[in-house]
Amino acid sequence: MSVHEQAAAAVLSQVALAADGVLLGLALAYVATRSIIRYTATSSALRKIQGAPSLNVSDLRSVLEGSDSSNDLDGGKLVIVRGIVDSKSAVDGNWKSLIPNVLISHESGERCVVLQRTQTCIYNEWRGLFGWTSDLLSLFARSWHKQESTSFRMVPFILVEGGKRPYTDYLIVNMDGSNHSLPLVTVYHQLQPISASPYTFLQALFGHEYPVGLLAEEKILPLGKDITAVGICTLKDGIAGIKPCKDLPYFLSDMTKDRMIIGLAFRSKVLLWSGIVLGALSIGILGYAGVRNWNKWKEWRQQQRTQRQNLAGTDVNPQSPEDDEAGDIPDGELCVVCLTRRRRSAFIPCGHLVCCQRCALSVERDLAPKCPVCRQEIRSSVRIYDS
């Protein structure tokens, strides 16, 4: 670990343990809450997949026509269908079906219905003669710089059962609004080095990132691939179609229904126990931090009170004849507490001059000192001298 990384780790540890671990407890509470929310969503998806029927493409028509509308989702039925990928042009029923509408991989030449090409520029960094610049750039420049470009192409496709054309039963796949990952196959993967230039030398000299390689990838969804579709299936004009369900983590996948259930069950258990453990830790840390900070606050109040008493003891002479003066004192100038000495101390911040200095100090030493007249909380008192 470098010196800068060690310094960053030390700063992060100090921030996490600030206020006796309050920030750490809040962070753990946030993570625990997120885990419980994700556990709820995962458990709901698990129940839906467990209750969804697993069908063949040829069985869809009879199931959808006889399904109970009360169990429908968005006008359709949640099903799990296993089928083989083929282009939609294979069932169009016109002259275009003689020329299949498919995509061709640029590198491998394979036929497919989904084609994704990605180019990733790989950067290196040398701290250079002015190494401090790389620390600043790590905070800003990397977030602004785009290192990856992706092109995505797709043609309409269907799922069919194994057999010869023309297909009598098929399922149209509707990808609209889908953010789910696709079971793509990598057919091309190559890393090409980038030759250095004089500009590259200047970038390295001042601690900037500079390109060293270009990674090109090509992934496809080939014809004839056996996949599973999990979604809402509808029947329109006698043709079955399936679209993704936003509440489920799967749409098109290589996994079977049993493997999906096993994966979701394991994930839900991990999320549940992580939420419970992290929640318990956060409660313990926050409770400990609360007790520690409460005790520190009480100690601080006691120290402040002791300091005021010490200062008052050094400034006041109990045997002062002026404080102990008695005799012919008008009633309007007598201390409202002892009624024997003259009023000499004004309270702050209310400003009432109603007590002698000795009684004012006694009022200040209370746990919740308040002015005897207006009952406002006071901070201290000041001795008033006659001119």
Side-chain angles (χ1 to χ4, degrees):
M1 183 180 293
S2 64
V3 177
H4 294 278
E5 292 176 346
Q6 292 177 357
V11 171
L12 289 176
S13 63
Q14 290 179 359
V15 171
L17 297 177
D20 291 317
V22 171
L23 293 180
L24 179 60
L26 293 176
L28 290 177
Y30 173 77
V31 176
T33 304
R34 293 288 300 174
S35 297
I36 295 300
I37 293 175
R38 292 173 62 187
Y39 162 74
T40 304
T42 304
S43 299
S44 176
L46 176 60
R47 289 191 297 269
K48 289 181 179 179
I49 291 180
Q50 285 177 336
S54 183
L55 305 172
N56 296 322
V57 177
S58 58
D59 300 331
L60 285 174
R61 189 187 305 273
S62 60
V63 172
L64 293 177
E65 290 177 349
S67 62
D68 185 5
S69 59
S70 61
N71 296 327
D72 292 351
L73 295 173
D74 297 334
K77 184 178 180 63
L78 182 64
V79 296
I80 301 175
V81 184
R82 189 78 178 180
I84 298 174
V85 176
D86 203 342
S87 63
K88 189 176 181 298
S89 60
V91 295
D92 282 341
N94 52 30
W95 62 271
K96 292 182 180 180
S97 62
L98 301 177
I99 305 175
N101 182 20
V102 296
L103 301 175
I104 306 296
S105 170
H106 295 75
E107 304 298 337
S108 64
E110 295 186 29
R111 296 150 59 95
C112 58
V113 294
V114 176
L115 177 63
Q116 177 180 320
R117 303 187 69 189
T118 305
Q119 286 189 338
T120 305
C121 192
I122 300 176
Y123 287 82
N124 195 6
E125 181 182 11
W126 180 61
R127 306 194 69 83
L129 299 179
F130 309 98
W132 58 270
T133 57
S134 62
D135 297 331
L136 297 178
L137 291 174
S138 64
L139 298 177
F140 304 103
R142 289 178 184 172
S143 60
W144 296 340
H145 192 70
K146 188 176 181 180
Q147 299 183 348
E148 182 178 285
S149 61
T150 302
S151 63
F152 188 86
R153 296 179 58 196
M154 182 179 61
V155 297
F157 64 98
I158 59 175
L159 295 183
V160 298
E161 291 187 20
K164 297 181 180 180
R165 298 186 181 184
Y167 302 113
T168 57
D169 296 305
Y170 57 91
L171 176 65
I172 299 177
V173 179
N174 184 3
M175 296 289 296
D176 295 339
S178 173
N179 294 323
H180 301 78
S181 59
L182 296 174
L184 302 180
V185 179
T186 301
V187 295
Y188 181 74
H189 184 93
Q190 185 179 13
L191 177 63
Q192 298 177 350
I194 297 178
S195 302
S197 64
Y199 180 67
T200 304
F201 173 75
L202 292 178
Q203 287 179 308
L205 182 65
F206 286 93
H208 290 262
E209 294 178 337
Y210 56 93
V212 295
L214 183 65
L215 177 64
E217 286 185 302
E218 194 171 72
K219 297 181 179 181
I220 65 171
L221 182 61
L223 298 178
K225 183 177 177 62
D226 192 14
I227 63 174
T228 301
V230 183
I232 302 172
C233 193
T234 57
L235 195 64
K236 184 177 181 180
D237 298 331
I239 300 175
I242 191 169
K243 62 180 181 180
C245 181
K246 296 181 180 179
D247 297 334
L248 300 180
Y250 304 112
F251 178 43
L252 300 177
S253 175
D254 290 323
M255 296 187 294
T256 62
K257 177 181 178 179
D258 293 336
R259 289 180 58 189
M260 292 180 187
I261 292 175
I262 293 174
L264 288 176
F266 176 76
R267 184 180 179 184
S268 63
K269 290 180 181 179
V270 171
L271 291 173
L272 175 62
W273 283 107
S274 63
I276 293 174
V277 172
L278 293 177
L281 285 176
S282 66
I283 292 174
I285 292 175
L286 290 175
Y288 169 79
V291 172
R292 289 272 298 177
N293 284 282
W294 174 256
N295 292 333
K296 286 182 178 180
W297 182 80
K298 291 197 298 184
E299 291 176 1
W300 176 81
R301 286 293 301 270
Q302 184 64 31
Q303 290 176 359
Q304 294 293 321
R305 193 175 296 110
T306 303
Q307 290 177 0
R308 288 198 299 266
Q309 292 176 0
N310 293 335
L311 290 175
T314 56
D315 294 340
V316 178
N317 183 8
Q319 305 298 328
S320 175
E322 188 177 5
D323 286 341
D324 292 335
E325 63 182 341
D328 190 11
I329 301 175
D331 293 341
E333 297 181 9
L334 285 175
C335 172
V336 297
V337 177
C338 64
L339 298 176
T340 58
R341 288 179 290 273
R342 190 183 299 273
R343 301 177 183 181
R344 294 294 185 184
S345 295
F347 293 113
I348 298 175
C350 66
H352 286 129
L353 179 62
V354 292
C355 290
C356 64
Q357 190 168 7
R358 188 175 300 178
C359 292
L361 293 176
S362 177
V363 171
E364 283 186 63
R365 292 167 185 167
D366 292 339
L367 293 178
K370 295 181 180 179
C371 174
V373 177
C374 65
R375 307 306 297 170
Q376 181 180 351
E377 187 174 353
I378 62 174
R379 294 195 301 269
S380 61
S381 63
V382 61
R383 175 72 161 82
I384 305 298
Y385 293 93
D386 297 332
S387 60

